[in-house]
Amino acid sequence: MALLEIRLYGDPVLKQVSAPVTRFDAELARFGDDLLETMRDAHGAGLAAPQVGVLKRMFAYDVGVDEETGEHPFGVLVNPVITRREGEQTGEEGCLSFPGLYYACTRAMAVTVAANDVHGRRLELDGEGVLARCFQHEIDHLDGVLFIERLSRGDRKRAL
Ligand code: NI
């Protein structure tokens, strides 16, 4: 495994739209491991491929252990699509491409995501709260959308 370089705000790659993954091979699985390792090394809850300069529709996530359920959701999702959104939540959000910046961001409270794993198997995941926020934030990255674009106008100005 290897640590990858995380691109910071201002790098044009963060504004690009990533391409669907069509080849599920050992190289893709290795890249998924690297993405997860790089995210954990940087103490992030999510890291999308374009944030390391790779324009592929995939991201790693690990939102830690849920204190209520004891579940610890983490992994790598490929070609993710949000198929359900419910409710609304507003909470602190950050991004590894904006070190040290946290702003209140409004997102759906719960989502369902259809995706592949790195081997091409179909998955469907339900996320609520922090996990739902993470999924929405990372999928935005795949379309070149950054969380500062989701902030109130005042916060967005301050962030910039
Ligand atoms: Ni981010």
Side-chain angles (χ1 to χ4, degrees):
M1 290 206 273
L3 292 181
L4 308 169
E5 187 198 340
I6 297 177
R7 307 299 181 88
L8 301 180
Y9 178 66
D11 190 318
V13 78
L14 295 175
K15 294 301 299 162
Q16 292 185 47
V17 176
S18 293
V21 171
T22 54
R23 181 191 283 248
F24 294 88
D25 56 10
E27 197 184 326
L28 188 79
R30 199 155 48 233
F31 175 62
D33 287 343
D34 290 346
L35 210 50
L36 199 56
E37 190 188 14
T38 301
M39 177 196 76
R40 285 177 168 155
D41 180 73
H43 306 289
L47 183 64
Q51 291 182 276
V52 296
V54 176
L55 290 169
K56 289 183 176 170
R57 300 192 75 84
M58 59 192 286
F59 68 85
Y61 66 98
D62 183 344
V63 295
V65 178
D66 186 313
E67 286 176 12
E68 278 177 29
T69 64
E71 285 175 10
H72 183 188
F74 71 89
V76 175
L77 296 184
V78 180
N79 299 335
V81 175
I82 295 176
T83 57
R84 176 187 69 105
R85 296 170 191 270
E86 254 180 65
E88 195 179 278
Q89 58 174 322
T90 300
E92 288 269 286
E93 197 166 313
C95 178
L96 289 176
S97 295
F98 294 80
L101 282 191
Y102 296 89
Y103 285 98
C105 189
T106 300
R107 302 277 189 183
M109 175 55 94
V111 296
T112 300
V113 175
N116 294 109
D117 69 10
V118 291
H119 306 292
R121 288 184 287 248
R122 296 297 300 163
L123 301 172
E124 196 174 65
L125 289 96
D126 291 317
E128 236 188 277
V130 176
L131 185 58
R133 173 178 300 283
C134 172
F135 286 162
Q136 292 167 84
H137 178 114
E138 300 312 323
I139 290 170
D140 269 354
H141 272 300
L142 308 182
D143 293 317
V145 175
L146 301 172
F147 87 116
I148 52 165
E149 295 165 51
R150 303 275 190 207
L151 304 180
S152 68
R153 198 192 280 186
D155 277 351
R156 189 176 168 182
K157 259 191 188 156
R158 275 187 287 278
L160 291 172

mmCIF file of all heavy atoms in Angstrom, residues 1-2 4 25-36 58 118:
data_model
loop_
_atom_site.group_PDB
_atom_site.id
_atom_site.type_symbol
_atom_site.label_atom_id
_atom_site.label_comp_id
_atom_site.label_asym_id
_atom_site.label_seq_id
_atom_site.Cartn_x
_atom_site.Cartn_y
_atom_site.Cartn_z
ATOM 1 N N MET A 1 0.847 -1.193 0.000
ATOM 2 C CA MET A 1 0.000 0.000 0.000
ATOM 3 C C MET A 1 0.881 1.241 0.000
ATOM 4 O O MET A 1 2.037 1.195 0.366
ATOM 5 C CB MET A 1 -0.920 -0.018 1.216
ATOM 6 C CG MET A 1 -1.978 -1.105 1.104
ATOM 7 S SD MET A 1 -3.452 -0.729 2.047
ATOM 8 C CE MET A 1 -2.963 -1.394 3.626
ATOM 9 N N ALA A 2 0.268 2.331 -0.366
ATOM 10 C CA ALA A 2 1.041 3.571 -0.492
ATOM 11 C C ALA A 2 0.186 4.760 -0.094
ATOM 12 O O ALA A 2 -1.029 4.748 -0.274
ATOM 13 C CB ALA A 2 1.498 3.732 -1.934
ATOM 14 N N LEU A 4 -0.965 8.449 -0.839
ATOM 15 C CA LEU A 4 -1.086 9.281 -2.034
ATOM 16 C C LEU A 4 -1.100 10.751 -1.611
ATOM 17 O O LEU A 4 -1.442 11.083 -0.481
ATOM 18 C CB LEU A 4 -2.379 8.924 -2.768
ATOM 19 C CG LEU A 4 -2.543 7.427 -3.042
ATOM 20 C CD1 LEU A 4 -3.954 7.117 -3.525
ATOM 21 C CD2 LEU A 4 -1.519 6.963 -4.075
ATOM 22 N N ASP A 25 -10.126 -4.554 -11.704
ATOM 23 C CA ASP A 25 -8.999 -5.476 -11.693
ATOM 24 C C ASP A 25 -8.170 -5.272 -10.427
ATOM 25 O O ASP A 25 -8.540 -4.497 -9.538
ATOM 26 C CB ASP A 25 -8.140 -5.292 -12.965
ATOM 27 C CG ASP A 25 -7.655 -3.853 -13.129
ATOM 28 O OD1 ASP A 25 -7.815 -3.051 -12.181
ATOM 29 O OD2 ASP A 25 -7.117 -3.527 -14.202
ATOM 30 N N ALA A 26 -7.035 -5.963 -10.363
ATOM 31 C CA ALA A 26 -6.185 -5.908 -9.161
ATOM 32 C C ALA A 26 -5.668 -4.489 -8.926
ATOM 33 O O ALA A 26 -5.519 -4.047 -7.788
ATOM 34 C CB ALA A 26 -5.023 -6.884 -9.295
ATOM 35 N N GLU A 27 -5.430 -3.772 -10.013
ATOM 36 C CA GLU A 27 -4.920 -2.406 -9.892
ATOM 37 C C GLU A 27 -5.958 -1.505 -9.218
ATOM 38 O O GLU A 27 -5.621 -0.663 -8.388
ATOM 39 C CB GLU A 27 -4.582 -1.882 -11.290
ATOM 40 C CG GLU A 27 -3.688 -0.667 -11.284
ATOM 41 C CD GLU A 27 -3.451 -0.129 -12.691
ATOM 42 O OE1 GLU A 27 -3.398 -0.955 -13.640
ATOM 43 O OE2 GLU A 27 -3.364 1.088 -12.844
ATOM 44 N N LEU A 28 -7.223 -1.701 -9.585
ATOM 45 C CA LEU A 28 -8.288 -0.899 -8.982
ATOM 46 C C LEU A 28 -8.413 -1.214 -7.484
ATOM 47 O O LEU A 28 -8.560 -0.317 -6.656
ATOM 48 C CB LEU A 28 -9.625 -1.155 -9.680
ATOM 49 C CG LEU A 28 -10.745 -0.207 -9.214
ATOM 50 C CD1 LEU A 28 -10.611 1.155 -9.901
ATOM 51 C CD2 LEU A 28 -12.121 -0.798 -9.453
ATOM 52 N N ALA A 29 -8.338 -2.508 -7.145
ATOM 53 C CA ALA A 29 -8.428 -2.910 -5.735
ATOM 54 C C ALA A 29 -7.270 -2.306 -4.942
ATOM 55 O O ALA A 29 -7.454 -1.834 -3.816
ATOM 56 C CB ALA A 29 -8.409 -4.431 -5.627
ATOM 57 N N ARG A 30 -6.092 -2.283 -5.541
ATOM 58 C CA ARG A 30 -4.916 -1.708 -4.873
ATOM 59 C C ARG A 30 -5.118 -0.212 -4.674
ATOM 60 O O ARG A 30 -4.815 0.341 -3.615
ATOM 61 C CB ARG A 30 -3.666 -1.969 -5.718
ATOM 62 C CG ARG A 30 -2.365 -1.849 -4.953
ATOM 63 C CD ARG A 30 -1.250 -2.665 -5.602
ATOM 64 N NE ARG A 30 -1.175 -2.436 -7.041
ATOM 65 C CZ ARG A 30 -1.197 -3.387 -7.966
ATOM 66 N NH1 ARG A 30 -1.289 -4.644 -7.617
ATOM 67 N NH2 ARG A 30 -1.125 -3.087 -9.248
ATOM 68 N N PHE A 31 -5.637 0.455 -5.703
ATOM 69 C CA PHE A 31 -5.891 1.893 -5.581
ATOM 70 C C PHE A 31 -6.922 2.159 -4.476
ATOM 71 O O PHE A 31 -6.782 3.102 -3.697
ATOM 72 C CB PHE A 31 -6.367 2.475 -6.919
ATOM 73 C CG PHE A 31 -6.759 3.916 -6.835
ATOM 74 C CD1 PHE A 31 -5.836 4.888 -6.485
ATOM 75 C CD2 PHE A 31 -8.072 4.309 -7.082
ATOM 76 C CE1 PHE A 31 -6.200 6.226 -6.378
ATOM 77 C CE2 PHE A 31 -8.448 5.639 -6.982
ATOM 78 C CZ PHE A 31 -7.502 6.594 -6.634
ATOM 79 N N GLY A 32 -7.938 1.307 -4.377
ATOM 80 C CA GLY A 32 -8.929 1.449 -3.306
ATOM 81 C C GLY A 32 -8.280 1.339 -1.931
ATOM 82 O O GLY A 32 -8.578 2.132 -1.034
ATOM 83 N N ASP A 33 -7.366 0.390 -1.771
ATOM 84 C CA ASP A 33 -6.636 0.244 -0.497
ATOM 85 C C ASP A 33 -5.814 1.496 -0.199
ATOM 86 O O ASP A 33 -5.746 1.957 0.942
ATOM 87 C CB ASP A 33 -5.691 -0.968 -0.554
ATOM 88 C CG ASP A 33 -6.438 -2.292 -0.481
ATOM 89 O OD1 ASP A 33 -7.620 -2.284 -0.060
ATOM 90 O OD2 ASP A 33 -5.841 -3.326 -0.828
ATOM 91 N N ASP A 34 -5.166 2.033 -1.225
ATOM 92 C CA ASP A 34 -4.332 3.233 -1.046
ATOM 93 C C ASP A 34 -5.185 4.431 -0.634
ATOM 94 O O ASP A 34 -4.775 5.251 0.191
ATOM 95 C CB ASP A 34 -3.581 3.568 -2.339
ATOM 96 C CG ASP A 34 -2.483 2.554 -2.642
ATOM 97 O OD1 ASP A 34 -2.128 1.774 -1.737
ATOM 98 O OD2 ASP A 34 -1.993 2.546 -3.789
ATOM 99 N N LEU A 35 -6.373 4.515 -1.241
ATOM 100 C CA LEU A 35 -7.280 5.620 -0.937
ATOM 101 C C LEU A 35 -7.705 5.558 0.539
ATOM 102 O O LEU A 35 -7.677 6.561 1.262
ATOM 103 C CB LEU A 35 -8.501 5.495 -1.853
ATOM 104 C CG LEU A 35 -9.273 6.734 -2.306
ATOM 105 C CD1 LEU A 35 -8.368 7.813 -2.860
ATOM 106 C CD2 LEU A 35 -10.318 6.319 -3.348
ATOM 107 N N LEU A 36 -8.055 4.342 0.976
ATOM 108 C CA LEU A 36 -8.477 4.141 2.368
ATOM 109 C C LEU A 36 -7.317 4.443 3.329
ATOM 110 O O LEU A 36 -7.486 5.123 4.342
ATOM 111 C CB LEU A 36 -8.957 2.693 2.524
ATOM 112 C CG LEU A 36 -9.849 2.321 3.703
ATOM 113 C CD1 LEU A 36 -11.104 3.175 3.768
ATOM 114 C CD2 LEU A 36 -10.243 0.842 3.592
ATOM 115 N N MET A 58 -14.992 6.996 -7.554
ATOM 116 C CA MET A 58 -14.878 6.127 -6.383
ATOM 117 C C MET A 58 -14.378 6.911 -5.182
ATOM 118 O O MET A 58 -13.766 7.962 -5.336
ATOM 119 C CB MET A 58 -13.973 4.932 -6.674
ATOM 120 C CG MET A 58 -12.562 5.267 -7.088
ATOM 121 S SD MET A 58 -11.679 3.818 -7.748
ATOM 122 C CE MET A 58 -11.336 2.875 -6.252
ATOM 123 N N VAL A 118 -14.893 -2.754 -5.113
ATOM 124 C CA VAL A 118 -13.747 -2.698 -6.036
ATOM 125 C C VAL A 118 -13.645 -3.935 -6.934
ATOM 126 O O VAL A 118 -12.890 -3.939 -7.912
ATOM 127 C CB VAL A 118 -12.399 -2.508 -5.286
ATOM 128 C CG1 VAL A 118 -12.319 -1.126 -4.665
ATOM 129 C CG2 VAL A 118 -12.174 -3.601 -4.264
#
